[in-house]
Each structure stands twice: as C-alpha cells, then as structure tokens.
C-alpha cells in the first residue's frame, strides 16, 4: 500500500522512528510471549502477606518482591499485557465508532451531518473522567469494563477528524463520477472513499494508542485502576506515590515507569513519522 511505501522512505531519514518501531516490536512480542509463558508456568497472583517489599538481592529474583510477596519480574509482564490490551482495545473501538460516525457525517452532509455533529458536541461536554471513575467503581474495574467505558468517551475526536477528511474527499471528482454512474453510496464509501482515508486513520491510530496508555496509567495511579487481581502498569506505578516506596524501594516502581516512558516515546515517534507521511509538506523524502 502507498502509505507503507512512503513510511519506509520516511524511516530512511528519521532514525528515531526507525529505532522506535524496532523497539516497539521487541517490547510487544516480549510482553505477550512472556505473559503467555508466565501464565502457564507460574502462579503470579500468589500472595504471601508481608510488611515490606524484598529487594532483588535478598529475594534472589531479578526485580525483587512487592509488599504482597509477588515476583515483580513476572508481575511486570502480566501488568504490561493488561495495560496494552486496554490501550489497544480502546484505540480500536474508539476508531471504529469515530470512523463510522465521521465518514457517514462527512459523506452525506446536510441534515445527517448536522444531527450527528450535535450528538458529538453534546457527548463531548460530559466530564468524562468523573463519569468514567464513577462507572468503574459501580460496575467493577476489569479489563473489559475499562475498554468499554474509556471507548464511550474517546471516539468523538476521531469522529470530528474523519468527518473533516470525508468532507474533503466528498468534493473530489471520483466521488461525483461514481454518483453519476449510479453507484450505491455504501459502495462508494467502502470501495472508494475509505482507501483514501487510510493514511489519516493509521497515523492517528498510532498516536491515539500512546494517549490510551497514558489515560489508563493516570487513572490507575489515582487509585481508580484495575484491582490487585488485574495488575497493570498504572497499578504498579501507584507505589511511586508513597514517599517511603519512592525513596527506599526503587525496584517496585522503576521498571514499570521505564517501560511506560519508553513505550509512549516510541509510539509517539512512530506516530509522528506516519503523520508526516499524510502531509507532503512535512515529509523528509
């Protein structure tokens, strides 16, 4: 596809993006393969209540034990998998909804566009963080509920972006020619318009992934993340809010912090490269 050819050309000039995409491949594969192996051979959530975390040296493990006696190294893989599942799920479903609403709104215009955009505007005015926190407390803090409630309040920006792109495409000659030939609207949208929106969708999908990781981590650090039986990177980072942990138990919060920062930076570098692909004025190549 054209976008991937342009992206490969872009990588020749942007070494940060090239290194980032290699690191992301390593991180994602390591997390999912590692979590799969650990789930099958270790009881990660086995708890031995104790007063303080145990250092790597004293425990004989790579990253020590947390305050519940759980192996931090094993826990990191499972927590990272849960965080990535949430981020990928929210990004995918929010784009699915935003793409559907945005393209229909932009393609049909008129009354359809007006009604859909008023719905988007109204939904956008809801204080989503407060509502999401309440919903998570009421319905339980699990991976599916996180994905569902974050998706409900994160698709509007995507809808506006894709509406603007669809409005631009709607004026193109190939759309007018298809309508003149009597091609059904659904066929025009799926077969002719959507392929021309792939560049924008892919670039913003990657950038939205980084934002989704940040939202999950932030909510978890505030104490509204997954429960102890559904660990995530944000839940592990919550330990950094305790001054004693921050000063004396570095192994409890440093690994998830490094993983979150590196992952978000890599995703942003790749997303910026893809965004330049969609704008000829910004391309290196």
């Amino acid at each position: 596809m054209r976008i991937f050819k342009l992206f490969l050309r872009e990588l020749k000039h942007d070494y940060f993006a090239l290194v980032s995409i290699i690191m992301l491949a390593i991180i994602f594969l390591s997390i999912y393969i590692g979590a799969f192996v650990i789930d099958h051979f270790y009881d990660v959530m086995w708890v031995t209540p104790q007063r303080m975390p145990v250092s790597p040296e004293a425990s004989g493990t790579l990253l020590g034990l947390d305050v519940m006696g759980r192996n931090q190294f094993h826990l990191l893989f499972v927590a990272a998998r849960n965080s990535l599942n949430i981020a990928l799920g929210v990004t995918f479903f929010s784009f699915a909804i935003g793409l559907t609403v945005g393209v229909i709104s932009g393609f049909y215009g008129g009354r359809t566009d007006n009604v859909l955009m008023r719905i988007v505007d109204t939904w956008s005015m809801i204080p989503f963080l407060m509502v999401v926190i309440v919903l998570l407390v009421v319905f339980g803090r699990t991976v599916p509920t996180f994905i569902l409630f974050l998706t409900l309040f994160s698709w509007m920006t995507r809808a506006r972006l894709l509406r603007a792109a669809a409005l631009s495409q709607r004026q193109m000659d190939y759309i007018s020619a298809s309508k003149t030939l009597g091609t059904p609207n659904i066929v025009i949208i799926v077969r002719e318009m959507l392929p021309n929106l792939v560049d924008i969708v892919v670039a913003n999908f990657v950038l939205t992934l980084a934002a989704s990781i940040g939202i999950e981590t932030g909510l978890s650090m505030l104490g509204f993340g997954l429960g102890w039986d559904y660990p995530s990177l944000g839940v592990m980072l919550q330990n950094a809010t305790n001054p004693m942990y921050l000063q004396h138990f570095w192994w409890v919060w440093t690994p998830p912090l490094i993983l979150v920062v590196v992952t978000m930076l890599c995703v942003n570098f790749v997303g910026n490269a893809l965004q330049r692909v969609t704008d000829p004025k910004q391309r290196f190549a």
Side-chain angles (χ1 to χ4, degrees), residues 48-261:
T48 305
Q50 51 194 39
R51 294 183 180 179
M52 279 188 245
V54 182
S55 67
E57 297 82 7
S59 65
T61 59
L62 192 61
L63 296 177
L65 307 178
D66 67 3
V67 73
M68 294 183 181
R70 296 177 296 185
N71 188 311
Q72 283 281 114
F73 182 70
H74 296 166
L75 194 64
L76 184 64
F77 282 94
V78 177
R81 181 192 58 191
N82 287 338
S83 292
L84 288 180
N85 284 344
I86 291 172
L88 289 168
V90 171
T91 305
F92 176 81
F93 289 114
S94 64
F95 252 99
I97 298 172
L99 179 66
T100 303
V101 174
V103 169
I104 290 174
S105 181
F107 179 81
Y108 287 100
R111 182 175 296 178
T112 301
D113 179 39
N114 188 49
V115 170
L116 289 176
M117 284 302 101
R118 295 299 74 75
I119 293 173
V120 171
D121 292 340
T122 303
W123 200 252
S124 299
M125 289 188 291
I126 299 174
F128 88 94
L129 262 182
M130 181 180 70
V131 176
V132 166
I133 288 172
V134 172
L135 290 173
L136 287 172
V137 171
V138 172
F139 292 97
R141 294 175 290 173
T142 63
V143 172
T145 55
F146 246 92
I147 294 173
L148 173 62
F149 297 137
L150 289 180
T151 298
L152 286 176
F153 296 95
S154 60
W155 60 271
M156 293 82 74
T157 304
R158 262 60 73 189
R160 289 196 182 98
L161 171 71
L162 292 163
R163 168 188 175 265
L167 282 172
S168 175
Q169 291 293 321
R170 181 175 175 234
Q171 309 301 323
M172 298 293 184
D173 291 339
Y174 75 91
I175 296 292
S176 301
S178 296
K179 289 182 176 179
T180 302
L181 292 171
T183 307
N185 288 334
I186 187 64
V187 175
I188 296 174
I189 292 172
V190 174
R191 193 179 65 188
E192 300 184 27
M193 180 177 280
L194 286 182
N196 288 287
L197 300 179
V198 169
D199 295 7
I200 296 173
V201 171
V202 173
N204 284 276
F205 184 94
V206 175
L207 290 172
T208 303
L209 178 62
S212 299
I213 294 172
I215 291 173
E216 184 279 323
T217 303
L219 283 172
S220 297
M221 285 192 68
L222 291 172
F224 298 102
L226 301 177
W228 72 270
D229 51 341
Y230 288 97
S232 72
L233 294 176
V235 173
M236 295 181 74
L237 280 173
Q238 191 180 7
N239 294 313
T241 61
N242 186 322
M244 184 177 70
Y245 280 59
L246 198 61
Q247 294 178 29
H248 303 292
F249 307 125
W250 62 268
W251 64 88
V252 174
W253 57 270
T254 303
L257 175 64
I258 293 173
L259 184 57
V260 168
V261 171

